Every structure is written in C-alpha cells, then in structure tokens.
Amino acid sequence: MTTAGQRGFRPAGRCAGRRALALCAALLGGALTGCGGGGTAAPDPGATPAAHRSTPAEICAALVSYWAKEALKGSEWAGLDWEQKGLSNEQYAIHEEVVAAARAEQAKHGGAAAGALIDRRTAEKCAAANGATGSSENWREPDWTATGTPPP
C-alpha cells in the first residue's frame, strides 16, 4: 500500500513481507540445490541434434547449385569468378554445364523446373565426382582427414 508523497511500494502488513522473504529464500535454496554435484540426470539424447558431417559430394552439390541458381536469376554476384565463389576447377565445369541445361529448361518449362534440374544434376554430378575437389590447383585436403580425427 502506498501513501501520498511516498515513492515505491510498501506491503499491506508485516505478514506479506515475511511471505515474500520466505518465498525468495525457498527459490534461492532450490536453485542452489540444483547446482550441487549430487544426483545429476543423464542428458536426453533426443534433445541435442547429432552433428551432421557433410560429405564432399553434399558440399559440392550445395555450393554448385547455389551459384547455378544465382546465375540463372542473373544476380549481381553471379559474375564472380570460380575462385571467388569457392569452387574448384571441376566444380566450375559442373556449374557451367548445369547452368546451360537449366537455361534451356527454364525456357521450356519455367523457373521451378529449372531449379529442380539444377538440384538434381548437381547432386548427380558431384556424387559421381566425389565432390569434384581434386582438380583445383589451390585445393588442399583438410588437416583432419590426414590424421583421421574429425574436426571439433
């Protein structure tokens, strides 16, 4: 209850203040008990998604299809060269082949069909070439593959 000229809130009686204090103590005590080293529950394996390790073919397909779709819609970034796009020489060859096929498909059947063709063809070609990374002059195998230890 507040009175004229008084700032803030004042409990209606002594009892209300004691109840608030008891509630704070109970909450604080409960929180501190949960922090102890006592019985800890095992983590729920379904609550944390498993790490997804992408294969070279999946990475290739995602990268090449992205840039092929950008080229098809004529985006400002489609004019970057293969290195700026992060493509290997072999991935760039797949890109050029897929973009040519997609342009023909777009003229006949529209943009949705061209996008589907890009996804399908890049997945096929990247899988057949195992990621198409070996032909790039500046490509190196990641350090973790040489040791057999996956990255953190």
Side-chain angles (χ1 to χ4, degrees):
M1 163 186 250
T2 59
T3 59
Q6 185 180 21
R7 293 184 192 166
F9 178 79
R10 192 169 96 199
R14 292 181 90 168
C15 210
R18 287 183 184 157
R19 274 187 260 159
L21 184 59
L23 179 61
C24 280
L27 290 174
L28 183 60
L32 292 176
T33 319
C35 294
T40 56
D44 179 13
T48 306
H52 178 70
R53 303 266 186 230
S54 297
T55 65
E58 291 170 331
I59 294 169
C60 170
L63 190 60
V64 173
S65 68
Y66 172 81
W67 285 113
K69 289 174 184 175
E70 289 296 303
L72 198 64
K73 67 181 179 182
S75 86
E76 130 183 35
W77 301 107
L80 297 174
D81 70 20
W82 61 275
E83 284 183 307
Q84 292 169 320
K85 291 177 181 177
L87 302 174
S88 69
N89 295 336
E90 196 174 356
Q91 290 166 344
Y92 185 67
I94 293 170
H95 172 272
E96 291 299 293
E97 183 181 330
V98 168
V99 168
R103 285 195 171 124
E105 185 72 12
Q106 185 178 33
K108 291 179 187 175
H109 303 288
L117 179 134
I118 288 172
D119 289 337
R120 187 176 60 252
R121 290 257 178 102
T122 56
E124 291 168 0
K125 292 188 173 295
C126 287
N130 193 26
T133 58
S135 65
S136 182
E137 296 167 12
N138 58 359
W139 183 85
R140 287 189 322 222
E141 189 170 322
D143 292 338
W144 64 268
T145 58
T147 62
T149 307

